[in-house]
């Protein structure tokens, strides 16, 4: 009996293959599976050490030069807030604020962790006006990733 069924199953299978190829494609499923070509790119840069701040700012500038429509948020905490404090300078004495101002003018958001400010006994007035204070830097990063679809980068 197996000898009779096997050829019949093979014939049935061969007969249905053209039907699969001729089946209409559900475009809505294909479009849902592929990201939209015009989807907004959103990136959160995590800075927790101001020794890396200049590199992070260069990365942000390079990304905006390559992809001007990218929405970028720089979130800082711990030692990473130092470059967003008034009169902050890099190790060569170059002030950070003009670079931050330029990037802010290009749509970049800068956020400073309030937990760090409290822990270091710094008043909100110590932060440059281009930056926004958030309750927690790490919670802000998690929120941006989980709820707003941001890609995470740590220079």
């Amino acid at each position: 009996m197996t000898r009779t069924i096997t050829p019949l199953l093979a014939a049935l299978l061969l007969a249905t293959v053209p039907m699969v190829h001729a089946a209409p494609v559900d475009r809505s499923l294909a479009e849902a599976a592929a990201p939209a070509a015009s989807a907004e790119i959103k990136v959160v840069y995590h800075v927790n050490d101001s020794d890396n701040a200049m590199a992070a700012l260069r990365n942000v500038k390079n990304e905006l030069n390559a992809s001007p429509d990218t929405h970028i948020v720089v979130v800082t905490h711990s030692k990473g807030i130092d470059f967003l404090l008034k009169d902050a300078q890099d190790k060569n004495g170059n002030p950070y604020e003009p670079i931050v101002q330029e990037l802010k003018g290009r749509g970049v958001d800068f956020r400073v962790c309030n937990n760090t400010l409290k822990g270091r006994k710094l008043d909100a007035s110590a932060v440059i006006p281009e930056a926004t204070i958030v309750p927690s830097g790490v919670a802000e990063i998690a929120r941006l990733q989980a709820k707003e679809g941001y890609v995470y980068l740590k220079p």
Side-chain angles (χ1 to χ4, degrees):
M1 177 145 175
T2 305
R3 293 176 126 188
T4 311
I5 293 176
T6 304
L8 287 174
L9 287 175
L12 181 61
L13 179 64
L14 289 174
T16 59
V17 169
M19 289 182 200
V20 171
H21 290 291
V25 175
D26 184 351
R27 298 246 184 255
S28 61
L29 290 176
E31 290 168 1
S38 64
E40 180 183 27
I41 299 171
K42 300 184 291 187
V43 181
V44 57
Y45 279 80
H46 178 190
V47 180
N48 65 345
D49 185 349
S50 280
D51 287 345
N52 299 331
M54 199 55 83
L57 294 172
R58 269 193 309 274
N59 286 171
V60 168
K61 192 181 286 192
N62 289 342
E63 182 162 352
L64 287 173
N65 289 340
S67 185
D69 294 331
T70 301
H71 186 255
I72 298 174
V73 177
V74 177
V75 179
T76 64
H77 67 94
S78 189
K79 294 179 191 174
I81 73 164
D82 293 353
F83 80 99
L84 294 173
L85 299 177
K86 289 182 178 167
D87 301 320
Q89 299 177 350
D90 68 10
K91 62 185 176 188
N92 298 319
N94 300 310
Y96 288 106
E97 194 166 4
I99 300 166
V100 172
Q101 288 171 339
E102 174 197 341
L103 292 172
K104 181 76 174 174
R106 294 179 71 183
V108 177
D109 290 327
F110 291 89
R111 301 186 185 163
V112 173
C113 175
N114 194 49
N115 288 335
T116 299
L117 292 174
K118 285 181 183 177
R120 292 173 57 183
K121 296 178 177 39
L122 292 170
D123 190 67
S125 64
V127 177
I128 62 174
E130 293 80 13
T132 304
I133 298 171
V134 295
S136 166
V138 292
E140 182 70 0
I141 292 167
R143 185 187 70 74
L144 289 169
Q145 287 183 272
K147 297 200 175 188
E148 295 191 32
Y150 277 70
V151 174
Y152 174 86
L153 291 178
K154 183 157 183 0

